[in-house]
Amino acid sequence: MKIFAVGMNYIQHNKELDGALYKPEQPVIFTKADSALLKDHKPFFIPDWSEQVDYETEVVVRISRLGKSIPERFAHRYYDAVTVGIDFTARDWQRKARNEGHPWEICKGFDGSAVIGEWVEKEKLRDVQALHFHLDINGKTVQEGCTSDMLYKVDELISYISQFFTLKTGDLLYTGTPVGVGPIHIDDHLEGWLEDRKVLEFNAR
């Protein structure tokens, strides 16, 4: 099982991150280790080696068949379910990596950094590019977005990634985070919503 993730896929988040509105020339793709996966409402343990770990709420799609070099017009056939997940980011380590031109594996792929909610079959949802989602922490909405604002759409991402990696059943794609990321704290209670469905709930420790 592979975990793919997309950086800088919402223009307002790019301004939040870098102070400027821009669209990357091509999708920014990175991967997370399989040990990053955190599911079944298990708590997230904030690593003691980072001074700032941020939540990044994202729509996640589940790959449902084998595919390589998938044309964009057929990409919708390659995923069957959607949920909300969190791409936890050790922001201090990411800043250092970006400044020094180093890869993102430590700041993005550490244990427990890919939280996943309960799956909703794609057929039960409207257009995957018109989904509203949000994250509540301690009962207050802290981040919200809509997939219509993605710079690179789900089908584009699947087509692009499949040029370089063979997609397999069970692979996951985190599609990018909107504006509103922020730090997580011990004892925070997190709830993720996809439209009117609560699909994600866990605590920080």
Side-chain angles (χ1 to χ4, degrees):
M1 185 269 291
K2 300 183 291 298
I3 303 173
F4 298 100
V6 184
M8 297 173 281
N9 201 29
Y10 286 81
I11 197 165
Q12 291 295 335
H13 172 62
N14 296 347
K15 182 177 181 180
E16 172 182 59
L17 197 63
D18 292 328
L21 299 171
Y22 66 94
K23 179 178 180 178
E25 292 183 4
Q26 61 273 326
V28 176
I29 306 299
F30 59 95
T31 61
K32 288 175 174 272
D34 58 2
S35 59
L37 191 64
L38 185 68
K39 57 184 181 178
D40 301 328
H41 309 291
K42 293 179 180 178
F44 170 70
F45 289 92
I46 301 173
D48 57 11
W49 45 261
S50 176
E51 296 182 359
Q52 181 183 346
V53 175
D54 284 358
Y55 56 81
E56 298 189 7
T57 313
E58 314 196 3
V59 165
V60 186
V61 299
R62 182 177 67 192
I63 302 301
S64 58
R65 59 190 294 190
L66 185 72
K68 173 70 174 174
S69 299
I70 302 164
E72 184 180 333
R73 67 184 183 276
F74 297 137
H76 66 278
R77 302 177 181 177
Y78 286 81
Y79 56 98
D80 65 351
V82 182
T83 192
V84 169
I86 296 180
D87 164 23
F88 277 120
T89 303
R91 193 68 70 196
D92 49 345
W93 283 70
Q94 186 188 42
R95 292 190 191 103
K96 187 174 188 295
R98 295 183 76 186
N99 290 338
E100 298 176 358
H102 292 169
W104 289 8
E105 274 80 0
I106 290 177
C107 68
K108 286 285 194 179
F110 59 90
D111 288 355
S113 63
V115 188
I116 199 75
E118 297 168 4
W119 294 106
V120 179
E121 293 179 10
K122 185 174 64 173
E123 290 73 18
K124 294 181 179 179
L125 298 165
R126 58 178 175 169
D127 181 1
V128 73
Q129 293 302 155
L131 297 175
H132 291 84
F133 60 100
H134 69 272
L135 175 70
D136 292 351
I137 296 183
N138 304 326
K140 179 181 178 181
T141 298
V142 296
Q143 190 178 21
E144 53 191 330
C146 182
T147 55
S148 62
D149 294 329
M150 287 181 181
L151 297 175
Y152 292 98
K153 309 305 183 187
V154 173
D155 291 357
E156 292 179 85
L157 294 170
I158 288 174
S159 178
Y160 180 79
I161 292 169
S162 71
Q163 296 179 53
F164 310 101
F165 302 91
T166 298
L167 298 180
K168 296 184 177 181
T169 300
D171 288 348
L172 306 180
L173 172 59
Y174 284 67
T175 58
T177 193
V179 69
V181 304
I184 191 73
H185 303 97
I186 291 174
D187 293 330
D188 279 347
H189 181 68
L190 294 86
E191 298 170 295
W193 298 76
L194 184 64
E195 295 288 327
D196 59 351
R197 294 174 169 87
K198 183 167 71 172
V199 294
L200 180 67
E201 185 172 10
F202 66 101
N203 296 308
R205 294 288 185 252

